[in-house]
Amino acid sequence: MRPVSYSRATDVATAIGAVSADPQSAFLAGGTTQVDLLRIYVEQPRRLVDINDLPLNRIEELPGGGLRLGGLARMSDVAEEPELVRRYPMVAEALLLGASPQLRNMATIAGNLMQRVRCSYFRDVAAGCNKRAPGTGCSALDGINRGHAVLGTSDCCIATHPSDLGVALVALDAVVQTESPAGQRSIPIDDFFLLPGQTPEREHPLTHGELVTGIDLPPTPVAATSRYIKIRDRESYEFALASVAVAMSVADGRITEIRLALGGVATKPWRARQAERLLDGAPATTESFTRAAEAELAPAVPHGMNAFKIELARRTMVRALESMAQREGTT
């Protein structure tokens, strides 16, 4: 690892100014992924600006009943916040399933959304990877790709987005708050994660030096009956092969509101909008759930070792929906 200069910022404006002024600088918060990438030369900033002292770690009520999660709030603190657990249980569950207790104590909410992919070729500087080195190809296309995506892929990249939290936030239509030298802006969460297309190196619509200051959870009454299901190779410290965030309400045996998102199978946290359209107003039955899951996964494109993910995702969606229907007393 080449020498990196280090400074510590105590206010937001200073931190943004320092990083914006130097194209080879970066923010440093929990560092749970970033330090690893420095050690293997995937990222080589000239300067790190430590932002842990910024006043961005609070969890606050929003007018109208939502919650704002500070960008520097630790995963562990957010997962244990009583109001979040009561009003958005899928978010708390995604956080608890997203990392070991040690990592949750260090990792920040913003850092979780900004984390880089776990594709082994991205992390091997000797391999071709368009995300790390544009124009060098995607070694995963014909390589070891068991954990890679089947939705939202392109001929340039099939890496799966690793965030569990992001899946729950996409289901809830969260809004990312940022600040840069140009001012503040609000970015709908589904627009915050970019599909790889022909520019997989660009994962978010942020400018250099733009800082994620918070994530807003809108008031969503149906979220009080929600859950996050994660299927993985082992129960601890493992990324999803398939996951589902679901919130659902049922009246007279029919679905009156549905929020559904997938993880572990796509290049970004995946809002299952086709499935939602089919489920809205449909009977809360296994047959309806199966039809919706199959329709959502119809565009999936397998690559060698990851073909099993399509069936796994279908079964996980049906299981998650059935569990919600059982809570509502309809199956």
Side-chain angles (χ1 to χ4, degrees), residues 226-240:
S226 66
R227 69 175 306 188
Y228 183 75
I229 291 180
K230 180 177 182 178
I231 306 300
R232 47 190 169 171
D233 283 325
R234 59 183 182 183
E235 277 299 310
S236 64
Y237 193 41
E238 187 63 88
F239 295 98

Side-chain angles (χ1 to χ4, degrees), residues 241-297:
L241 292 172
S243 66
V244 176
V246 58
M248 186 170 76
S249 61
V250 178
D252 298 323
R254 291 190 173 269
I255 299 168
T256 57
E257 188 171 357
I258 181 72
R259 302 291 187 94
L260 195 61
L262 307 180
V265 294
T267 54
K268 59 180 279 186
W270 190 264
R271 184 70 177 267
R273 298 191 184 279
Q274 175 67 7
E276 288 180 346
R277 283 191 288 269
L278 291 173
L279 290 169
D280 187 21
T285 62
T286 298
E287 291 75 17
S288 296
F289 304 153
T290 300
R291 282 195 298 271
E294 289 174 347
E296 188 64 44
L297 293 162

Side-chain angles (χ1 to χ4, degrees), residues 302-314:
H303 292 85
M305 298 179 182
N306 71 356
F308 76 96
K309 280 195 169 189
I310 299 174
E311 177 62 15
L312 181 64
R314 184 192 71 81

Side-chain angles (χ1 to χ4, degrees), residues 44-242:
Q44 299 186 62
R46 180 169 57 196
R47 181 186 184 191
L48 291 174
V49 178
D50 190 322
I51 58 174
N52 284 290
D53 289 339
L54 303 187
L56 299 174
N57 63 349
R58 293 187 290 272
I59 303 169
E60 302 172 303
E61 290 281 347
L62 290 173
L67 285 179
R68 173 166 293 175
L69 312 179
L72 292 178
R74 304 294 166 173
M75 290 175 62
S76 55
D77 293 333
V78 176
E80 295 171 359
E81 168 60 36
E83 279 302 300
L84 181 125
V85 173
R86 183 178 69 84
R87 285 146 60 177
Y88 308 96
M90 68 160 69
V91 176
E93 291 173 6
L95 287 166
L96 292 173
L97 292 171
S100 66
Q102 294 88 343
L103 287 176
R104 292 199 302 270
N105 287 335
M106 288 291 295
T108 65
I109 295 298
N112 183 277
L113 302 186
M114 295 290 293
Q115 65 180 298
R116 309 302 302 276
V117 299
R118 294 315 194 277
C119 173
S120 59
Y121 300 108
F122 171 75
R123 290 168 176 257
D124 179 359
V125 294
C129 173
N130 291 314
K131 188 178 286 290
R132 173 176 36 78
T136 61
C138 176
S139 297
L141 286 170
D142 298 310
I144 299 173
N145 51 32
R146 179 177 179 270
H148 286 67
V150 295
L151 291 170
T153 61
S154 73
D155 58 357
C156 290
C157 182
I158 60 171
T160 306
H161 196 280
S163 175
D164 291 293
L165 172 63
V167 180
L169 296 182
V170 164
L172 294 170
D173 291 321
V175 178
V176 179
Q177 303 295 336
T178 72
E179 187 170 341
S180 72
Q184 300 177 348
R185 63 171 172 157
S186 302
I187 306 172
I189 189 74
D190 208 21
D191 296 333
F192 182 78
F193 300 107
L194 303 179
L195 292 172
Q198 299 302 301
T199 56
E201 72 279 6
R202 185 164 169 77
E203 299 175 340
H204 308 284
L206 304 182
T207 59
H208 181 71
E210 189 169 5
L211 179 65
V212 175
T213 57
I215 295 92
D216 289 356
L217 300 177
T220 313
V222 71
T225 53
S226 66
R227 69 175 306 188
Y228 183 75
I229 291 180
K230 180 177 182 178
I231 306 300
R232 47 190 169 171
D233 283 325
R234 59 183 182 183
E235 277 299 310
S236 64
Y237 193 41
E238 187 63 88
F239 295 98
L241 292 172

